[in-house]
Amino acid sequence: LNCKSDFLNKYLSKVLSDLPNCPCSYPLEAVYNAVNVQDEQKGKNFRWQDASGPKERLDIYKPTARFCLRSMLSLDSTTLGAQHCCYDENTKLITRGKGAGAPNLISTEFSPELHYKVDMLPWILCKGDWSRYHAVRPPNNGQQCAVNPPEDEYLSQLQEAREY
């Protein structure tokens, strides 16, 4: 949480620049199979898999999300990270607040154990205050999707997180 490591800062910067942008809508076919989605800004396709199953515990970690996606590692991946994107019941990207996804420094494909230590434990140590976590690992909205949730709901979530 308070680590000022140059290596970690450089790695986080590399992860943030190399990962794909979240699609604005959840591709429903991802529920059944990995899907390819074109990232217009990066100019290439990325593979995504559903991250909404019971072991993901959306009710705890992403309480307003109905669906989530995680980008998959590829042969040209330059980090071990994965983009994590979450969506509301209308399949629209949650761009901020307690249901928003955040970049993972370590993909679950590479190591579920290391992912837990590097990506989940910091959230737990923040005692669920997603605003502290998102200050370091901001949710991706590189495709300029509509802001979600609306301002009043977002401010209510922010107040709740800070008072917890």
Side-chain angles (χ1 to χ4, degrees), residues 80-150:
L80 297 173
Q83 188 65 267
H84 189 237
C85 313
C86 293
Y87 300 83
D88 65 16
E89 66 280 352
N90 298 314
T91 70
K92 300 299 176 210
L93 180 68
I94 299 172
T95 60
R96 59 188 184 170
K98 63 185 179 181
N104 298 158
L105 297 182
I106 302 294
S107 172
T108 57
E109 283 181 277
F110 177 74
S111 170
E113 297 83 10
L114 196 53
H115 164 72
Y116 180 81
K117 289 177 182 174
V118 174
D119 295 307
M120 303 304 291
L121 276 182
W123 187 94
I124 292 167
L125 292 170
C126 286
K127 297 180 175 61
D129 181 353
W130 52 266
S131 66
R132 291 177 63 200
Y133 189 82
H134 287 177
V136 177
R137 299 187 199 189
N140 176 273
N141 190 11
Q143 302 225 28
Q144 306 300 306
C145 309
V147 172
N148 184 17

Side-chain angles (χ1 to χ4, degrees), residues 2-70:
N2 294 317
C3 186
K4 300 297 182 207
S5 159
D6 284 341
F7 170 79
L8 190 57
N9 286 333
K10 287 177 183 168
Y11 183 74
L12 179 59
S13 176
K14 183 86 172 134
V15 166
L16 293 176
S17 67
D18 286 357
L19 290 178
N21 291 303
C22 292
C24 290
S25 295
Y26 177 84
L28 290 174
E29 62 274 16
V31 170
Y32 306 106
N33 296 306
V35 296
N36 286 315
V37 177
Q38 175 74 15
D39 183 330
E40 301 298 333
Q41 284 76 10
K42 305 258 183 194
K44 62 181 187 174
N45 280 330
F46 289 90
R47 291 193 46 80
W48 297 85
Q49 62 187 6
D50 180 74
S52 308
K55 69 179 179 153
E56 298 284 344
R57 295 306 311 258
L58 297 186
D59 58 327
I60 294 172
Y61 299 113
K62 308 292 177 199
T64 61
R66 173 65 183 86
F67 305 99
C68 291
L69 284 176
R70 188 173 283 117

